[in-house]
Amino acid sequence: MANLWKMSQHGTKKRKLDRSTEDYMYFDSYSDVTIHEEMIADTVRTNTYRMGIFKNSKSIEGKVVLDVGAGTGVLSLFCAQAGARKVYAVEASSIADQAVRIVKLNQMEDTIEVIKATLETIELAEQVDVIVSEWMGYALLHESMLNSVIFARDKWLKPGGLILPSRADLYIAPINDLVVEGRLNFWSTVKAQYGVDMSCMTDFARKCIMNKDITVNPVTVEDVLSHPCKFAELDLNTVTLEQVRDVRGVFSCQCFGSSSIHAFCVWFTVTFPSEEKALVLSTSPFKPETHWKQAVLYLDDAVDVMQDTKVEGEISLYPSEENTRHICIHVDYSIGEQKKHSKTFSIPDQYLEVK
């Protein structure tokens, strides 16, 4: 579950938001049709959830399911189709009103109960056998919805109950960005075109483009400069709120060939358990594109590399001080023989609502 944002202005002091304001902004962003259209239209996402639920139908049939952050209710409907006896579809935003209509349209109102409230404030009549949720944000942890899944697990899930998906993994790799390279080189071509030398703009352009924002863009396979390096794994059956406040890991990889590193690319997978082969929803640049795309973290300057140049470091993901639903990423890294560099990235905090 991810939303789009508007680029923030640099250099302005950000005010820390209280939790109620954070929650209002978050839930309000899901009141418009656009984000739900984007998520449902993401066939990789929606079909994988559908298959993941149906592959676990033996654990769902005749059982009670809690859908955390139900949105339009599509996952609740999948669970009902898989034979659930009862589904509690919890959704705090006004899209819950549409979920009620969708449930009724599909004649599932006897099975699915839509609860318009925050997960942390509800009371259920019973413990649940299964929790399903599409909680993932950009770079996995943006929006902090995993916190609600953990809360639901600890309060409402029966011992030995099922969580769908049950595991999440985070990956990183260095990338080349020919678009950025072209934009930076552009200023050196102006003189030949117009007779005016604007090459001094290159440094300014670099600071503007290779900034501290977490940029969400699709990355092509050809731009990835090493094998993926997994740096963190979250088991949703055991992970704690304290652990998700600081998800960190180390990485080490070797470059494929001669190129320039402009950025690091971060992505995630989530896994649905199965009696047969586990089902994986991947946001990797090596797999079909999803609405999550990839999180791109630009270096201050491009670094030239050769075959087998080592890239290593440590990465940590944690909530922003200004808005705890927003994510920050800190990377300490070294490339080849260069000294270690550090850079902290954050999500631009104004959302873009496409009407």
Side-chain angles (χ1 to χ4, degrees), residues 147 150 153 238-247 317 319:
N147 294 6
I150 294 171
R153 178 199 69 195
T238 58
V239 68
T240 65
L241 289 172
E242 183 178 359
Q243 289 170 334
V244 299
R245 290 191 190 105
D246 185 16
V247 175
L317 290 72

Side-chain angles (χ1 to χ4, degrees), residues 184-192 194-203 205:
L184 297 179
N185 291 338
F186 166 76
W187 297 103
S188 298
T189 69
V190 173
K191 186 175 182 180
Y194 303 112
V196 176
D197 191 344
M198 300 186 75
S199 58
C200 62
M201 282 283 290
T202 302
D203 287 341

Side-chain angles (χ1 to χ4, degrees), residues 1 33 58 111 176 213 236 238 262 266 300 339 343 349:
M1 190 176 289
V33 71
K58 288 183 180 179
T111 300
N176 173 261
D213 288 342
L236 269 66
T238 58
H262 291 96
V266 173
D300 289 330
K339 65 178 183 179
K343 192 168 182 178
D349 59 2

